[in-house]
Amino acid sequence: MELAEYHTLTTLPTPAGPLWVKRGAPGLEDPAYRLLADAVEPRGTRAIDLNPGVGIASLPLLAAGLEVEAWEDRRSALRALAASAAVHPGLRVRAALPWQVPKSAYGTALLVFGADRGNAWVRAQIRAAARALEPGGLLWVAGDKKLGFERYLDWTRDLVGGGEVVARAKGVRVAVLVRSPGPPPQVPNEPKPLEAELRGRRLTFWLWPGVFSADAVDPATRLLLEHLPADVEGARVLDLGAGYGALSLPLACEGAQVTLLEHQLASVESAKRSFRAAGRPAAVHHSDVDEALQENEVYDIVVSNPPFHVGGRVVLDVAEAFVAAAHRRTRPGGRFYLVANPFLKYEVWMHDRFGNVRTLHAGRYKVLLAVKQP
């Protein structure tokens, strides 16, 4: 797959109007979104969708004449939503985080529980939904029983009020709750510190909910750091899929000029806060793979601990796009280092692009190196 194909947006006809989609964007294949779209009924004139993905569950509300605000932090989904907003005048797209919601502003709220991003993220989503709704407003929630739906529904009832399950399809459930009277809850909006020793240096990262590996630095990241060059001073380093900067902050502390590309806004804001607190410069971009970079921007070293899940499901389009982007962004003679689970066949993609690949470590995770030929 070529990068141009990955980045291309296409339109999908639906009964409620056209929907723009792209590879790597969440929400289209997840049955929770489709069941929610079939079940949802509007209340009031304004709605908020707090985990919209590409927006499939918002379409029935737009068709009913509501103004819908789509609050999304994943860049691939935002790109698709922005294209859909051009043909749906009632759709307002926000690159935003749950703790930024206004209080008591909407008659209807939608939420597909983001279980793949951890309990702290789901709690923040639920609190945001309760805060955003007017008293008497409807909250529609969806999720999979295997991924904690019943537990999350109990948490939602505690904050919002009474409700019941109204739709079922295999293990997927949709429930609707009515916002009870009373003051809206607060949504925590301060990051928490995570301390770690990496490459012989004690570092502190500042993390908002929803980031990958929030409890401890991912062991695959630690392993990759052990296999990177000892001397990176002055090197131009690209961290592709950077998360909160666990790979790039140690390198910046050693004098590398680092650029971070990250899909999730929660991780982007965490990385910015962490670099600022450490007093280290960095270029941090909210990016769908490499789309935030200039056309001819290349680096001495590209590093990546790439994601291969979209909404908790294995999606290899994203992984393959990371390898294509790494090849595009590595200068001739430059090096691409990648860490991954053994079952993912990155070696094939790397060899196809670079013409070479070496295994630096094989075990619970593998570390691979490719050098771009002059």
Side-chain angles (χ1 to χ4, degrees):
M1 180 185 64
E2 298 301 320
L3 271 177
E5 183 182 354
Y6 173 82
H7 286 308
T8 297
L9 279 75
T10 59
T11 188
L12 178 71
T14 80
L19 183 74
W20 285 88
V21 299
K22 69 171 299 294
R23 291 176 181 269
L28 184 62
E29 302 300 330
D30 188 336
Y33 285 92
R34 293 188 175 275
L35 189 63
L36 180 57
D38 290 340
V40 67
E41 297 175 4
R43 177 167 293 185
T45 60
R46 297 182 68 205
I48 185 170
D49 192 339
L50 282 160
N51 187 19
V54 295
I56 192 168
S58 294
L59 289 181
L61 299 180
L62 291 166
L66 273 68
E67 178 182 304
V68 179
E69 291 192 12
W71 286 58
E72 178 59 68
D73 90 317
R74 295 163 293 187
R75 178 64 186 156
S76 60
L78 285 163
R79 294 178 64 200
L81 286 166
S84 292
V87 295
H88 294 281
L91 181 62
R92 305 286 184 266
V93 180
R94 296 285 302 271
L97 296 163
W99 41 92
Q100 298 171 325
V101 296
K103 62 181 179 180
S104 305
Y106 308 92
T108 303
L110 306 180
L111 175 57
V112 174
F113 294 129
D116 58 303
R117 296 179 64 178
N119 287 339
W121 178 252
V122 176
R123 286 187 183 276
Q125 289 182 311
I126 294 169
R127 284 188 166 274
R131 181 175 176 80
L133 275 173
E134 304 166 347
L138 296 182
L139 171 58
W140 298 82
V141 298
D144 194 313
K145 287 182 65 178
K146 294 180 181 178
L147 300 176
F149 174 81
E150 293 179 348
R151 178 174 72 255
Y152 297 150
L153 180 57
D154 287 342
W155 294 355
T156 309
R157 286 179 173 134
D158 289 343
L159 279 174
V160 176
E164 61 181 354
V165 174
V166 294
R168 297 173 172 83
K170 297 183 178 180
V172 178
R173 300 289 184 268
V174 172
V176 60
L177 302 93
V178 180
R179 169 77 162 86
S180 60
Q186 295 297 316
V187 183
N189 62 355
E190 285 297 321
K192 293 183 178 180
L194 171 65
E195 293 190 355
E197 186 168 330
L198 301 171
R199 287 171 70 97
R201 192 184 301 263
R202 195 73 180 172
L203 298 173
T204 300
F205 300 91
W206 292 91
L207 311 184
W208 271 273
V211 304
F212 170 69
S213 196
D215 295 330
V217 173
D218 172 47
T221 293
R222 288 183 173 276
L223 180 65
L224 180 52
L225 283 169
E226 293 173 6
H227 286 83
L228 295 181
D231 182 7
V232 296
E233 186 173 3
R236 297 188 73 241
V237 176
L238 176 64
D239 189 348
L240 186 56
Y244 53 76
L247 275 173
S248 46
L249 182 54
L251 303 181
C253 290
E254 297 173 17
Q257 303 172 41
V258 298
T259 296
L260 290 74
L261 301 182
E262 171 52 41
H263 182 232
Q264 294 175 347
L265 186 58
S267 295
V268 168
E269 295 302 322
S270 297
K272 288 180 177 179
R273 177 69 172 267
S274 300
F275 273 86
R276 190 164 59 246
R280 301 291 176 173
V284 185
H285 300 291
H286 191 203
S287 184
D288 180 12
V289 189
D290 69 335
E291 52 96 16
L293 297 180
Q294 298 298 313
E295 180 69 23
N296 297 319
E297 204 165 331
V298 293
Y299 295 83
D300 303 312
I301 298 172
V302 177
V303 298
S304 189
N305 180 4
F308 58 91
H309 291 97
V310 175
R313 291 166 171 78
V314 174
V315 178
L316 297 182
D317 286 351
V318 179
E320 189 175 358
F322 265 59
V323 175
H327 181 259
R328 180 184 183 188
R329 300 301 177 176
T330 305
R331 66 163 177 81
R335 291 162 288 175
F336 171 41
Y337 295 87
L338 176 143
V339 65
N341 296 81
F343 70 89
L344 292 168
K345 303 304 181 184
Y346 284 98
E347 294 92 336
V348 175
W349 297 328
M350 292 172 70
H351 192 276
D352 286 346
R353 295 283 177 178
F354 289 84
N356 65 91
V357 61
R358 288 173 52 201
T359 300
L360 303 183
H361 177 88
R364 180 184 175 191
Y365 302 101
K366 59 187 176 186
V367 177
L368 306 176
L369 166 64
V371 179
K372 189 167 184 178
Q373 302 303 308

